[in-house]
């Protein structure tokens, strides 16, 4: 929703007011009332953490938000990621999808962190998607009750997804502590498993700050995490990937069969660009002059020319420029080829 690989990098965490601190909001319940000496010690500990060697430069963390037990860690979303347009788009798509699914239950979700952490919305969503009723209390106000509900819901979700190859990127604690990245991983996985009628934005990445406490010293790291639909399929749901590939093959053959052509291998048969060009002509109902491309390309450069030309035809047809590079398609990169074909499928699936 989505590749879960994380790369250590640098980043700047924006300063926030005490009552708006993203560490406090996403990191779990914090003790706010401390004796003056404890507060002073905590500020000193935070100061040492910020100034400690081998930490990313520029990271500014409010000391009060770094109250951790020894050998524990906390993961927080860098607030700058919230301004990312693709990230905002992902949030909107998922919220609209949940509200559509739960319309009969008169449930309206406005904020994924605040509305999903207690398990109520996740319970209703899973029951609606799976058609399975869970044995949980309808309303739970206490933290213990909320975590018990979450445990039941997530066990049911994991039991369903794990046999299909999904990697579980969420937990009771991460969801209940309002870890938005974990919530997004869960929702994207559900949306893709149940083939939700939505289009998830591509190449969504977020920056998170990980704070760990080791031997009394706070250590921080800034990670980049990717929440990408095709990455998720390729890395965590091979069964679902095959379903998508089959759907795309059926779609392209529906049109290419008009020229007595047939595709059986997506990554290899589109690599020289010829089928892409012919497919665009069929979808847009025009003949592509043979002098515009290489019908039997032999060199790498000729194949790149063909794929680039196919991309131009897509843009002429009103589609956005493909995210993939022509070179990646020519090099048999499955993910890139799938992105291109899925974009065509989304826009022309009802074309005859």
């Amino acid at each position: 929703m989505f590749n879960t690989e994380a790369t250590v990098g640098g980043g700047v965490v924006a300063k926030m007011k005490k009552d708006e601190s993203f560490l406090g909001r996403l990191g779990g319940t914090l003790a706010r009332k401390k004796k003056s000496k404890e507060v002073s010690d905590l500020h000193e500990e935070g100061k040492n953490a910020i100034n400690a060697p081998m930490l990313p430069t520029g990271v500014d963390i409010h000391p009060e938000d770094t109250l951790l037990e020894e050998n524990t860690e906390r993961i927080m979303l860098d607030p700058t990621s919230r301004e990312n347009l693709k990230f905002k788009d992902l949030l909107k798509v998922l919220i609209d999808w949940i509200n559509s699914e739960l319309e009969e239950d008169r449930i309206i979700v406005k904020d994924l962190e605040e509305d999903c952490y207690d398990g109520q919305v996740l319970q209703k969503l899973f029951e609606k998607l799976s058609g399975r009723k869970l044995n949980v209390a309808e309303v739970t106000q206490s933290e213990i009750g909320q975590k018990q509900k979450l445990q039941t819901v997530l066990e049911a979700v994991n039991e369903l997804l794990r046999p299909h190859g999904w990697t579980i990127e969420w937990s009771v604690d991460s969801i209940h502590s309002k870890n938005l990245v974990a919530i997004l991983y869960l929702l994207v996985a559900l949306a893709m498993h149940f083939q939700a009628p939505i289009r998830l934005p591509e190449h969504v990445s977020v920056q998170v700050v990980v704070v760990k406490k080791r031997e009394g010293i706070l250590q921080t790291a800034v990670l980049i995490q990717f929440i990408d639909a095709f990455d998720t399929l390729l890395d965590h749901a091979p069964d679902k990937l095959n379903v998508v590939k089959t759907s795309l093959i059926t779609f392209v053959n529906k049109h290419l069969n008009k020229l007595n052509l047939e595709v059986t291998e997506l990554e290899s048969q589109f690599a020289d660009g010829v089928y892409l060009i012919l497919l665009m002509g069929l979808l847009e109902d025009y003949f592509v002059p043979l002098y515009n491309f290489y019908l039997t390309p032999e060199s790498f450069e000729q194949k790149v020319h063909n794929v680039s030309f196919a991309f131009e035809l897509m843009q002429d047809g009103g589609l956005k420029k493909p995210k993939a590079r022509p070179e990646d398609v020519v090099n048999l990169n499955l993910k890139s080829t799938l992105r291109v074909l899925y974009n065509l499928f989304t826009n022309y699936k009802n074309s005859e």
Side-chain angles (χ1 to χ4, degrees), residues 64-181:
E64 186 173 328
D65 293 325
T66 56
L67 184 62
L68 293 173
E69 298 294 331
E70 184 67 23
N71 294 320
T72 58
E73 70 176 36
R74 187 169 295 142
I75 300 176
M76 295 73 57
L77 182 67
D78 185 328
T80 58
S81 291
R82 294 179 181 273
E83 301 307 313
N84 181 289
L85 293 180
K86 289 185 177 181
F87 183 72
K88 287 184 175 181
D89 187 26
L90 177 61
L91 294 180
K92 183 179 185 306
V93 168
L94 290 173
I95 288 174
D96 289 346
W97 169 58
I98 294 173
N99 287 335
S100 175
E101 292 290 344
L102 301 182
E103 184 177 6
E104 294 181 0
D105 293 292
R106 298 182 180 179
I107 292 176
I108 299 177
V109 171
K110 296 181 179 179
D111 185 295
L112 292 180
E113 294 152 286
E114 297 299 329
D115 296 334
C116 291
Y117 83 96
D118 61 359
Q120 181 75 12
V121 169
L122 294 177
Q123 172 210 338
K124 294 296 185 182
L125 180 63
F126 179 77
E127 289 179 340
K128 175 67 183 301
L129 295 173
S130 66
R132 172 184 169 189
K133 183 71 175 176
L134 298 179
N135 184 23
V136 293
E138 282 301 315
V139 179
T140 53
Q141 298 295 337
S142 69
E143 180 178 333
I144 294 177
Q146 291 171 352
K147 287 190 172 182
Q148 288 175 339
K149 171 177 278 193
L150 269 176
Q151 182 71 34
T152 301
V153 174
L154 295 186
E155 283 180 355
V157 170
N158 298 347
E159 182 182 290
L160 177 70
L161 297 182
R162 191 174 279 120
H164 295 282
W166 292 90
T167 298
I168 307 305
E169 299 283 353
W170 49 84
S171 66
V172 171
D173 287 337
S174 63
I175 300 295
H176 193 266
S177 65
K178 304 178 185 179
N179 182 326
L180 184 55
V181 176

Side-chain angles (χ1 to χ4, degrees), residues 130-317:
S130 66
R132 172 184 169 189
K133 183 71 175 176
L134 298 179
N135 184 23
V136 293
E138 282 301 315
V139 179
T140 53
Q141 298 295 337
S142 69
E143 180 178 333
I144 294 177
Q146 291 171 352
K147 287 190 172 182
Q148 288 175 339
K149 171 177 278 193
L150 269 176
Q151 182 71 34
T152 301
V153 174
L154 295 186
E155 283 180 355
V157 170
N158 298 347
E159 182 182 290
L160 177 70
L161 297 182
R162 191 174 279 120
H164 295 282
W166 292 90
T167 298
I168 307 305
E169 299 283 353
W170 49 84
S171 66
V172 171
D173 287 337
S174 63
I175 300 295
H176 193 266
S177 65
K178 304 178 185 179
N179 182 326
L180 184 55
V181 176
I183 293 172
L184 289 175
Y185 277 134
L186 172 59
L187 292 176
V188 172
L190 288 173
M192 299 200 69
H193 179 82
F194 288 103
Q195 297 182 308
I198 58 177
R199 184 175 181 181
L200 296 169
E202 299 179 359
H203 305 297
V204 180
S205 65
V206 295
Q207 190 163 272
V208 298
V209 179
V210 181
V211 181
K212 300 179 182 180
K213 188 172 185 178
R214 298 290 184 268
E215 298 180 355
I217 300 296
L218 295 176
Q219 303 173 352
T220 66
V222 179
L223 310 179
I224 306 299
Q225 291 188 300
F226 300 91
I227 307 173
D228 187 279
F230 277 105
D231 286 342
T232 301
L233 279 174
L234 289 168
D235 297 335
H236 307 302
D239 287 358
K240 287 299 175 182
L241 172 62
N242 290 331
V243 172
V244 172
K245 290 174 68 175
T246 300
S247 298
L248 291 177
I249 287 174
T250 301
F251 164 71
V252 298
N253 282 335
K254 172 185 175 182
H255 299 282
L256 290 177
N257 285 167
K258 299 171 186 176
L259 299 177
N260 294 320
L261 300 174
E262 186 165 356
V263 168
T264 56
E265 291 290 335
L266 294 178
E267 52 266 61
S268 61
Q269 289 184 266
F270 285 96
D272 64 7
V274 175
Y275 278 14
L276 272 180
I277 294 171
L278 297 177
L279 180 59
M280 278 307 304
L282 290 165
L283 293 172
E284 286 291 330
D285 196 25
Y286 57 70
F287 175 75
V288 182
L290 298 181
Y291 58 77
N292 281 330
F293 65 100
Y294 298 95
L295 189 59
T296 55
E298 297 180 357
S299 69
F300 180 82
E301 290 73 20
Q302 290 176 344
K303 295 176 182 178
V304 170
H305 168 86
N306 280 357
V307 176
S308 298
F309 178 55
F311 285 6
E312 291 177 11
L313 296 179
M314 293 174 195
Q315 291 176 268
D316 289 344

Side-chain angles (χ1 to χ4, degrees), residues 247-248 251 283 340-350:
S247 298
L248 291 177
F251 164 71
L283 293 172
V340 173
L341 294 176
Y342 186 75
N343 190 34
L344 294 179
F345 172 77
T346 302
N347 286 275
Y348 295 100
K349 59 185 176 182
N350 295 320

